[in-house]
Amino acid sequence: MEVGFLGLGIMGKAMSMNLLKNGFKVTVWNRTLSKCNELVAHGASIGKTPAEVINKCTITIAMLSDPAAALSVVLDKDGVLEQICGGKGYIDMSTVDPETSCKINEAITSKGGRFLEAPVSGSKQPAETGQLVILAAGDKALYEAAIPAFDILGKKSFFLGQVGNGAKMKLVVNMIMGSMMNAFSEGLTLADRSGLNPHDLLDVLDLGAIANPMFKGKGPAMLQNNYSPAFPLKHQQKDMRLALALGDENSVPMPVAAASNEAFKKARSMGLGDMDFSAVFETLKVLKHSS
């Protein structure tokens, strides 16, 4: 099976590499074409533009940074829309708002193409090990055609119905995750400042009802000031913003998520946007130094 892949950031690179290692023929594109070189060394072909990738492949996957990038790749010169047509499918696995997904769907289907949104739950390590959770919505036939690829990329795929539902599910998941990370950071800080060993807190949490892979995986690194990016903080803050907008649309009060968003914004103002989203922990250290 041959697929196209647009976007080779932290996630896209790992995902396209998995496809290559599992026997897929993959044609890749990235705005900075030099990022394609490692994939080419593992057997990938390069498309010089998104349109060129679409022209070559029956199914093309995109994993891009934000709504603006997702729209640009489709609508700009040499973009997806120039070559999409009947018999071709486009799968956007980026995290965007429902409105952006619907705009892309309208553009693709107006040219006879098929569209599936399929954002993922999971960051760098799950992407590398094929353990993502795929949240798909849109064209059911395209979803079924993509199952062989999804089975390589993820441990579970969900089909959630109409376009927009995948985006909504991903924003809800990431809103919960961002809020949890802020509460976790506050807990680590409170333990430390009140004379407890925060490593003991990690052990206690891991044995209780709120034990979870995020606390177990992120906690030790946070206590060592290690914020190597698995999921960049700037993207987490973008998702909080989009989730809050979804809350506004549905008249859902979200005071916890709103406070968490402010913490991520503070971290971005401190220059931490490219670090892992767990670097929001650093905002509490600033408060310590000023007290």
Side-chain angles (χ1 to χ4, degrees):
M1 184 176 182
E2 182 167 359
V3 297
F5 209 105
L6 311 178
L8 301 177
I10 291 172
M11 298 293 288
K13 176 184 173 183
M15 294 162 70
S16 53
M17 188 71 78
N18 262 344
L19 292 172
L20 285 167
K21 289 178 178 177
N22 283 277
F24 283 73
K25 295 180 179 179
V26 183
T27 298
V28 296
W29 171 87
N30 194 74
R31 287 188 192 279
T32 305
L33 283 176
S34 60
K35 287 191 175 182
C36 299
N37 293 341
E38 185 176 351
L39 280 302
V40 170
H42 284 82
S45 302
I46 294 181
K48 294 181 180 178
T49 65
E52 188 175 309
V53 176
I54 293 287
N55 183 55
K56 182 178 179 183
C57 303
T58 303
I59 294 177
T60 298
I61 295 169
M63 178 56 94
L64 303 159
S65 59
D66 57 26
L71 287 168
S72 173
V73 162
V74 173
L75 301 175
D76 284 359
K77 185 178 184 298
D78 297 321
V80 169
L81 210 57
E82 291 191 8
Q83 291 293 330
I84 199 76
C85 59
K88 292 186 181 290
Y90 184 65
I91 303 173
D92 191 351
M93 303 187 79
S94 318
T95 299
V96 300
D97 56 283
E99 290 76 18
T100 296
S101 270
C102 289
K103 286 179 184 176
I104 294 172
N105 177 56
E106 290 170 7
I108 297 296
T109 55
S110 72
K111 292 292 187 97
R114 297 182 294 169
F115 177 71
L116 191 73
E117 61 172 355
V120 300
S121 179
S123 56
K124 182 180 179 181
Q125 185 175 3
E128 291 173 341
T129 57
Q131 294 294 300
L132 297 167
V133 178
I134 297 168
L135 309 171
D139 190 295
K140 185 67 179 291
L142 179 54
Y143 172 75
E144 291 171 352
I147 287 292
F150 288 168
D151 284 347
I152 297 301
L153 299 174
K155 61 183 177 180
K156 177 72 175 178
S157 299
F158 291 87
F159 183 76
L160 301 172
Q162 66 184 10
V163 171
N165 286 351
K168 291 173 186 176
M169 183 68 79
K170 177 60 189 294
L171 293 178
V172 171
V173 169
N174 276 19
M175 178 272 292
I176 294 170
M177 181 174 73
S179 299
M180 286 174 61
M181 178 54 74
N182 274 280
F184 184 47
S185 297
E186 290 177 8
L188 289 173
T189 302
L190 180 59
D192 181 50
R193 303 258 186 100
S194 60
L196 298 172
N197 184 336
H199 291 280
D200 288 342
L201 174 61
L202 295 182
D203 292 338
V204 171
L205 289 173
D206 196 42
L207 293 170
I210 60 170
N212 67 78
M214 185 176 77
F215 291 176
K216 187 178 182 69
K218 298 290 187 186
M222 291 165 68
L223 294 179
Q224 295 175 5
N225 304 316
N226 178 1
Y227 306 114
S228 178
F231 181 42
L233 187 144
K234 62 186 179 184
H235 295 330
Q236 174 66 66
Q237 193 271 314
K238 175 261 297 183
D239 293 347
M240 297 300 289
R241 172 174 56 81
L242 296 177
L244 288 166
L246 185 63
D248 286 346
E249 291 169 20
N250 291 278
S251 301
V252 177
M254 296 166 60
V256 174
S260 296
N261 185 47
E262 292 303 314
F264 286 118
K265 286 162 62 178
K266 173 67 174 176
R268 290 191 71 175
S269 76
M270 293 165 58
L272 303 175
D274 290 324
M275 294 185 179
D276 190 73
F277 78 108
S278 56
V280 73
F281 187 36
E282 291 294 313
T283 63
L284 297 165
K285 298 178 182 179
V286 170
L287 294 177
K288 177 182 178 180
H289 294 150
S290 64
S291 61

Coordinates of all heavy atoms in Angstrom, one line a residue, residues 233-235 237-238 241 263-273 283:
L233 N 4.8 22.5 24.5 CA 3.9 23.3 25.3 C 3.0 24.3 24.5 O 1.8 24.5 24.7 CB 4.7 24.1 26.4 CG 3.9 24.8 27.4 CD1 4.6 24.8 28.8 CD2 3.7 26.3 27.0
K234 N 3.6 24.8 23.4 CA 2.9 25.8 22.6 C 1.7 25.1 21.9 O 0.6 25.7 21.7 CB 3.8 26.4 21.5 CG 4.4 25.4 20.5 CD 5.3 26.1 19.6 CE 6.0 25.1 18.6 NZ 7.0 25.8 17.8
H235 N 1.8 23.8 21.6 CA 0.7 23.1 21.0 C -0.4 22.7 22.1 O -1.6 22.7 21.8 CB 1.2 21.8 20.3 CG 2.1 22.1 19.2 ND1 2.0 23.2 18.4 CD2 3.1 21.3 18.6 CE1 2.9 23.2 17.4 NE2 3.6 22.0 17.6
Q237 N -1.1 24.6 24.7 CA -1.8 25.8 24.9 C -2.8 26.1 23.8 O -3.9 26.6 24.0 CB -0.8 27.0 25.1 CG -1.4 28.3 25.7 CD -2.0 29.2 24.6 OE1 -1.3 29.4 23.6 NE2 -3.2 29.7 24.8
K238 N -2.4 25.8 22.6 CA -3.3 26.0 21.4 C -4.5 25.1 21.6 O -5.6 25.6 21.4 CB -2.5 25.6 20.1 CG -3.4 25.7 18.9 CD -3.8 24.3 18.4 CE -2.6 23.4 18.1 NZ -3.1 22.0 17.6
R241 N -6.8 26.6 24.2 CA -7.6 27.7 23.6 C -8.7 27.2 22.8 O -9.9 27.7 22.9 CB -6.6 28.6 22.8 CG -7.3 29.7 22.0 CD -6.3 30.6 21.3 NE -5.3 29.8 20.5 CZ -5.6 29.5 19.2 NH1 -6.8 29.7 18.7 NH2 -4.7 28.8 18.5
A263 N -2.0 29.4 32.8 CA -0.7 28.9 33.2 C 0.2 28.6 32.0 O 1.4 28.9 32.0 CB -0.8 27.7 34.1
F264 N -0.4 27.9 31.0 CA 0.4 27.6 29.8 C 0.8 28.9 29.0 O 1.9 29.0 28.5 CB -0.4 26.7 28.9 CG -0.5 25.3 29.3 CD1 -1.7 24.7 29.7 CD2 0.6 24.5 29.5 CE1 -1.8 23.4 30.1 CE2 0.6 23.2 29.9 CZ -0.6 22.6 30.2
K265 N -0.1 29.9 29.0 CA 0.2 31.2 28.4 C 1.4 31.8 29.2 O 2.3 32.4 28.5 CB -1.0 32.1 28.4 CG -2.0 31.7 27.4 CD -3.4 32.3 27.6 CE -3.4 33.8 27.6 NZ -4.8 34.3 27.8
K266 N 1.4 31.7 30.5 CA 2.5 32.3 31.3 C 3.8 31.6 30.9 O 4.8 32.2 30.7 CB 2.2 32.1 32.8 CG 3.4 32.4 33.7 CD 3.7 33.9 33.7 CE 4.7 34.2 34.7 NZ 5.1 35.7 34.7
A267 N 3.7 30.2 30.7 CA 4.9 29.5 30.4 C 5.4 29.9 29.0 O 6.6 30.0 28.8 CB 4.6 28.0 30.4
R268 N 4.5 30.1 28.1 CA 4.9 30.6 26.7 C 5.6 31.9 26.8 O 6.6 32.2 26.1 CB 3.7 30.6 25.8 CG 3.2 29.3 25.4 CD 2.1 29.4 24.3 NE 2.8 29.7 23.0 CZ 2.1 29.8 21.8 NH1 0.8 29.6 21.8 NH2 2.8 30.1 20.7
S269 N 5.1 32.8 27.7 CA 5.7 34.1 27.8 C 7.1 34.0 28.4 O 7.9 35.0 28.3 CB 4.8 35.0 28.7 OG 4.9 34.7 30.1
M270 N 7.4 32.9 29.1 CA 8.7 32.7 29.7 C 9.7 32.0 28.7 O 10.8 31.7 29.0 CB 8.6 31.8 30.9 CG 7.9 32.5 32.1 SD 7.4 31.3 33.4 CE 8.9 30.6 33.8
G271 N 9.2 31.8 27.4 CA 10.1 31.2 26.4 C 10.1 29.7 26.5 O 11.0 29.1 25.9
L272 N 9.1 29.1 27.0 CA 9.0 27.6 27.2 C 8.2 26.9 26.1 O 8.0 25.7 26.3 CB 8.5 27.3 28.6 CG 9.3 27.9 29.8 CD1 8.6 27.6 31.1 CD2 10.7 27.4 29.8
G273 N 7.7 27.6 25.1 CA 6.8 27.1 24.2 C 7.3 25.8 23.4 O 6.5 25.0 23.1
T283 N 6.5 27.6 35.9 CA 5.8 28.8 36.2 C 5.6 28.9 37.7 O 5.6 30.0 38.3 CB 4.4 28.9 35.6 OG1 3.6 27.8 36.1 CG2 4.5 28.8 34.1

